Amino acid sequence: NDLPTNYESSAPVDLGSNYSYTSFVSAEERKIQEIDFVNGKIVFDASSADRLDGFTGQKSLSDIRIYSYDPASLSYKLLKQVNFYQSYFTSTPDNAIRSLRLDSISITDNGNAPVEKYRFTYNTQQLPRKDSKARDYWGYYNGKANNILVPQMLIPYQDQGLQQSIITIGSTVANGRDADPAYMQAAMLKRIYYPTGGYTEFTFETN
């Protein structure tokens, strides 16, 4: 969920010299903290520091703790913990480019001893800015330098003097919304390495 914890945007609209108004959009982030059930509970712990690719107050998931419930002592006992190790796809300080990346997952027992570890690798093609218009029709990155998301189109035009011509509307880039198999795989999951030493490799293709 990429909504900020507290976010407001305003868009003043000029209705002339005598009237004006401002509209507001407000959203508040809601993240699950705990799941309780008869035999135990699952606790979701957020990171202590804010995400570097988000808004002020936006957190990432640090770990998940799984407990069993002991009715005799009326207490919870930790069974295992899933720890998430994260970094960013780029070290740039620009939040519009930086994106959170899950590097590995470690599962520990109730004594914090490692039990399993999973590691992930990703396609090395860099992602564009979050507000980039370099997108294909499905929303994937395509490396095109579009100035707008309207695809380029040639429109027959007849002026008042009945002169026929062709005008170009939309993007300044021809075929600017076409898919590109290389660019669309930017930062996509490439491999999952398992505790046993093996791995799964993913191969993607266009729609």
Side-chain angles (χ1 to χ4, degrees):
N1 186 340
D2 285 331
L3 288 176
T5 302
N6 287 293
Y7 172 75
E8 283 193 352
S9 67
S10 61
V13 178
D14 184 8
L15 297 179
S17 59
N18 297 322
Y19 302 96
S20 67
Y21 74 90
T22 302
S23 61
F24 292 90
V25 177
S26 179
E28 185 174 346
E29 185 179 59
R30 297 289 185 180
K31 286 187 176 179
I32 190 167
Q33 293 182 320
E34 188 172 309
I35 299 175
D36 298 304
F37 48 94
V38 175
N39 299 319
K41 66 179 181 179
I42 301 173
V43 178
F44 301 84
D45 293 319
S47 59
S48 57
D50 289 356
R51 288 178 56 160
L52 299 179
D53 63 338
F55 301 90
T56 301
Q58 194 173 22
K59 310 292 185 180
S60 61
L61 181 62
S62 174
D63 60 74
I64 298 174
R65 289 174 287 138
I66 303 170
Y67 295 86
S68 63
Y69 181 70
D70 181 9
S73 62
L74 301 178
S75 62
Y76 290 97
K77 177 183 178 182
L78 179 66
L79 295 178
K80 61 181 177 179
Q81 180 169 316
V82 182
N83 304 290
F84 299 92
Y85 298 95
Q86 301 152 340
S87 63
Y88 293 87
F89 281 103
T90 178
S91 59
T92 175
D94 187 351
N95 285 359
I97 298 176
R98 189 161 38 191
S99 294
L100 191 67
R101 176 180 65 197
L102 178 63
D103 295 318
S104 63
I105 294 175
S106 174
I107 301 175
T108 55
D109 61 17
N110 56 8
N112 202 34
V115 177
E116 299 177 52
K117 185 172 183 178
Y118 299 82
R119 185 166 58 89
F120 310 96
T121 62
Y122 301 85
N123 186 286
T124 56
Q125 172 63 53
Q126 184 172 316
L127 288 165
R129 289 175 54 90
K130 295 180 178 70
D131 57 358
S132 170
K133 296 178 177 62
R135 307 179 210 165
D136 63 22
Y137 288 108
W138 293 270
Y140 290 97
Y141 180 40
N142 67 358
K144 305 286 187 181
N146 293 311
N147 60 321
I148 59 175
L149 291 175
V150 177
Q152 186 179 108
M153 292 177 282
L154 302 178
I155 307 297
Y157 171 73
Q158 179 176 290
D159 63 20
Q160 293 181 347
L162 303 182
Q163 294 295 317
Q164 303 285 338
S165 62
I166 300 293
I167 61 173
T168 303
I169 66 170
S171 174
T172 55
V173 179
N175 304 316
R177 299 300 303 276
D178 286 2
D180 186 294
Y183 282 106
M184 72 166 48
Q185 297 186 55
M188 281 190 175
L189 181 64
K190 189 174 182 181
R191 283 186 180 182
I192 300 177
Y193 290 89
Y194 300 105
T196 56
Y199 64 83
T200 295
E201 184 165 301
F202 299 89
T203 302
F204 298 94
E205 62 181 12
T206 55
N207 287 289

